[in-house]
Amino acid sequence: MRDGVALATDVYRPGGSEPLPAILQRTPYDKEGAALRNYSFEVMRAVQAGYVCVVQDVRGRFLSEGDFDPFFDEGPDGADTIAWVAAQPWCSGVVGMAGGSYFGATQWRAAGEVPEALKAMVPFVTAADYHEGWTYQGGAFELGFNLHWTLGFLAVGEVVRRLGAGQDAMAELGALVQAVDDNDALYERLPLTDMPVLDELAPYYRAWLDHPAYDDYWRAIAPKERHAQVTVPALNIGGWYDLFLGGTIANYLGMKEQGATEAARRPHLVIGPWAHGDSFGWYAGRSYGFASNYLAIDPTALHVRWFDRHLKDMDNGLDDEPPVRLFVMGIDEWRDEQDWPLPDTAFTPYYLHSGGHANTASGDGTLSTEAPGAEPHDTYLYDPRDPVPTTGGATFLPGLFVAANAGPRDQRLIDGRADVLTFVTPPLEHDVEVTGPIELVLHASSSARDTDFTGKLVDVAPDGRAELLTDGILRARYRESMSEPRPLEPGEVYELRIDLWATANVFKAGHRIRLDVSSSNFPRFDRNTNTGGTIATEGPEALVEAVNRVFHDHEHPSHVVLPIIDRS
C-alpha cells in the first residue's frame, strides 16, 4: 500500500501466459475461507470462465499487516490494490470487483477513489452508508446485528490473527468465547458502552456508539457521498429481508441519477426474498419455492455475464435487457422491470382509523383509502424494561443460519401486547400488488423528550397467519435530520416519517393488509431510554416509561403510503 503496509493476496488464474481481465475480492473474513467457499461467487468457476481472481485479506485481518478500522482504509487500499493488479503481467489491465456485505463495502469505497483500471463491479447485500442502514437505522442503533457481527466475526478474527502471529492472546480468547456464548444475554446489558471484551479486540465498536448522529465521522466513508464520482457500472443484488436492503436500493438509485459516466448511470438491480447470510428463500413456516433460491438463479453466472460485458466487451445482449429483476412474494414469481420504483406505480395512502389499541372497546383499528374524520387518538405505554421482542424481518441475530429469527415470521407471536397498535383492512375482494418503497407517516406525541416509533407491514392470510413483509423505525429526536437531533416537546403532536424500506408482494384476494405501530423492536434495535439523553451511556436506572399517542383524524391523517401496481 501507499504507506508501506503489505496486504496478503492470493491469485488464481488459468494456465497459459495470455493476460486476462481480473476480478478482485477484498475480505475481513480470511481470504482462504469465506471468499472461496461460498455460493454467491465461486472463484474457481470464474477462473474457468477466463478470469484471473484475486482475493485479499484487508488491512489488519488474518495475514495482512496493519490495524483494522472498518471502512476507513478500504478506499485507498482498494485503489492501490487495483493499480497493482492491473500492472501484473497476467492481467490485461482491466479489473472488476465482486462480493457481498463487507466485500461490497470494499467495492464502493474503492470505486469512490476512481481507480483507472476498475471497469465494473457487483456489490450485493451491502450498504450505501455505514451510519444509516448499517450501524444505525432511523437513528436507532442496530444492536442485534452489530454486537453479533463484532463479537462473532470481527473480534474472533482478531484473536485468530494474534494467535497466528505468536502473541499471547489466550486470555482474550477465553473472554471472547464466553461473550459469544452469552450473546443473547449481552443484548440486555446497559449501558451499551459496557462491553469490555470489545474494548481491546474491537475498539471501533465504542466509536460507533460515540457517533449516534450522521456527522463527519460517517460522512467521510459513506458511498452515497461519492456516487457522483463513480465511473463504473454496478450490478446490485439484494434481499427483501436483508438488513442492507435500503442501501442496495439507494446505491442503484444514486448511480442511476448521479453516476459520473453513461455506463455508471446504467446500473442493474436484482432483489430476491432473502435474508442476510441466508439466501435460499426458506424460512420457518414459509418457503418461496426453489425458483427463489440463490442456487436456482446461479449468481456466479450473473457475475460472469456482467463481467463478460464490461471487462471483455462482449455483446451478450445485457444492454438490451430490463435493468431490474424482482421476486414478487405472494405469487412467488420473478419479474423483469424497467426501473425502480416501477414506472406505473400508484402511490396510495392507506389511512389509520380508530381502535388500534388492543384494549379499546372497538378492538383492532382499520386501514383504508378513506381519509379520516373526527376520530379519537390511540394511546399506549412504552416501557423500555419490557420492549416488543424482535420477531422476523431484516435481522442478523444468533441462529440466523437456520432462519431462526429472520424473514416473514408470524406476527401472531406478539399479538395481544398492549404496546402494539394494529390496523387492518377488511378481507380483500381482489389481488392487490404492493411493489416499491413504503413510508409510514405518523402524527404522534409522547410524554418523553425522546422516544421511538416503529412500523410493520404485514400480510394476513385467511387462516390468520400474519407474515411480516417489511418494517422500520424512527428515533424521534432525528425526525428532522439525522445530523442535528432535536428533543421532543412533551405532549406536542409531530408529523413523523418512518422509512419502511420496500417490498414486492401480492396480497391475495381474501387476505388483509395490516400495519403494526409500536415503539420498540428489541434486540434488533437498542431500546430508547426515553430520557432524551445519550442512550449509549445510560444504565438501567435511567430507563423511564413513555406515554405515546398516535393521532388519526382530519387534522392528523396518519397513513402508510403503499406503492400499488395495477397489472390489468
Side-chain angles (χ1 to χ4, degrees), residues 7 24-29 54 56-59 61 68-82 96-113 115 118 121-127 130 134 149 221 223 251:
L7 303 189
L24 169 66
Q25 292 189 96
R26 307 187 62 249
T27 175
Y29 305 126
V54 181
Q56 182 181 80
D57 288 334
V58 301
R59 178 183 295 248
R61 300 293 288 174
F68 180 59
D69 189 4
F71 313 116
F72 279 88
D73 293 306
E74 309 307 355
D77 283 358
D80 289 354
T81 301
I82 290 167
M97 294 190 75
S101 195
Y102 196 92
F103 292 59
T106 67
Q107 294 183 62
W108 283 111
R109 291 285 290 122
E113 300 288 319
L118 183 64
M121 57 183 182
V122 184
F124 58 95
V125 295
T126 198
Y130 306 121
W134 190 298
W149 178 50
I221 55 175
N251 280 326

Side-chain angles (χ1 to χ4, degrees), residues 258-270:
Q258 304 175 42
T261 64
E262 182 179 353
R265 292 190 294 273
R266 298 179 64 185
H268 281 213
L269 177 67
V270 177

Side-chain angles (χ1 to χ4, degrees), residues 443-448 479 488-495 549 551:
H443 294 262
S445 71
S446 179
S447 63
R479 65 194 179 277
L488 297 172
E489 186 65 36
E492 184 173 335
V493 180
Y494 295 91
E495 182 181 88
R549 294 181 169 88
F551 297 80

Side-chain angles (χ1 to χ4, degrees), residues 419-503:
D419 55 354
V420 179
L421 308 181
T422 299
F423 304 88
V424 295
T425 66
L428 300 172
E429 297 180 358
H430 55 81
D431 292 358
V432 176
E433 180 176 344
V434 174
T435 296
I438 297 168
E439 182 180 52
L440 173 59
V441 181
L442 281 186
H443 294 262
S445 71
S446 179
S447 63
R449 298 285 284 171
D450 184 43
T451 195
D452 293 347
F453 287 93
T454 65
K456 293 181 177 179
L457 183 67
V458 180
D459 185 342
V460 183
D463 65 0
R465 178 176 171 82
E467 292 185 358
L468 175 60
L469 296 173
T470 189
D471 61 358
I473 190 169
L474 177 65
R475 186 145 291 170
R477 69 176 74 181
Y478 296 107
R479 65 194 179 277
E480 298 177 7
S481 167
M482 287 296 162
S483 298
E484 299 178 3
R486 293 186 179 181
L488 297 172
E489 186 65 36
E492 184 173 335
V493 180
Y494 295 91
E495 182 181 88
L496 307 174
R497 294 183 173 269
I498 305 174
D499 186 357
L500 303 192
W501 284 3
T503 194

Side-chain angles (χ1 to χ4, degrees), residues 77-94:
D77 283 358
D80 289 354
T81 301
I82 290 167
W84 178 85
V85 169
Q88 301 310 303
W90 36 257
C91 181
S92 64
V94 296

Side-chain angles (χ1 to χ4, degrees), residues 293-304:
N293 195 306
Y294 248 33
L295 302 179
I297 69 167
D298 195 352
T300 299
L302 294 180
H303 283 72
V304 169

Side-chain angles (χ1 to χ4, degrees), residues 54 84 87 117 139 194 227 263 304 319-320 332 338 410 502:
V54 181
W84 178 85
D194 181 20
H227 281 153
V304 169
D319 293 348
D320 299 323
D332 298 355
Q338 294 300 323
D410 192 341

